[in-house]
Amino acid sequence: LTILDLLKANLPNAELAVLSACHTAAVDKDNTPDEGISLASGMQFCGFRGIVGTLWAMDDDVGPIFAEIFYKRILHLERADQPADFIDAAKVLRAVTKEMRRKQIPLHCWVPLVHIEA
């Protein structure tokens, strides 16, 4: 998946992208010097209004924990009259990091998670 592929995609109703790979919000100047944007930035350019990504690698064991907590919380915010909104993602990510701290998951495991919003 390249930034160009994303820009060519027709995603008129793009709301929230949760990128579960490592380094999705970081620019890799060493391996892609001709690209000055990250995958998360590319998602913004193609229309996503909210993106959750990572600035560096996360432990493989932590990704599923993050996903389970994040999706349970964001789906819990759905109301009968409307689905969960991308605006809720920042609040949910904050709640996820607080829960990970309560579970005594080490700092380096959850600190790379970031929320980017247009």
Side-chain angles (χ1 to χ4, degrees), residues 63-78:
I65 295 168
F66 158 73
E68 180 181 354
I69 299 168
F70 184 87
Y71 286 112
K72 277 184 182 177
R73 287 185 177 263
I74 197 112
L75 294 174
H76 176 71
L77 292 176
E78 281 196 30

Side-chain angles (χ1 to χ4, degrees), residues 42-101:
M43 300 300 270
Q44 276 189 302
F45 283 120
C46 76
F48 283 86
R49 297 176 67 189
I51 298 103
V52 174
T54 58
L55 291 172
W56 57 83
M58 285 180 52
D59 288 354
D60 288 339
D61 297 338
V62 177
I65 295 168
F66 158 73
E68 180 181 354
I69 299 168
F70 184 87
Y71 286 112
K72 277 184 182 177
R73 287 185 177 263
I74 197 112
L75 294 174
H76 176 71
L77 292 176
E78 281 196 30
R79 296 163 288 287
D81 58 336
Q82 60 184 344
D85 195 308
F86 76 95
I87 294 170
D88 297 327
K91 291 185 284 187
V92 169
L93 183 58
R94 182 174 186 270
V96 169
T97 57
K98 288 174 89 173
E99 189 166 334
M100 290 176 124
R101 290 173 69 183

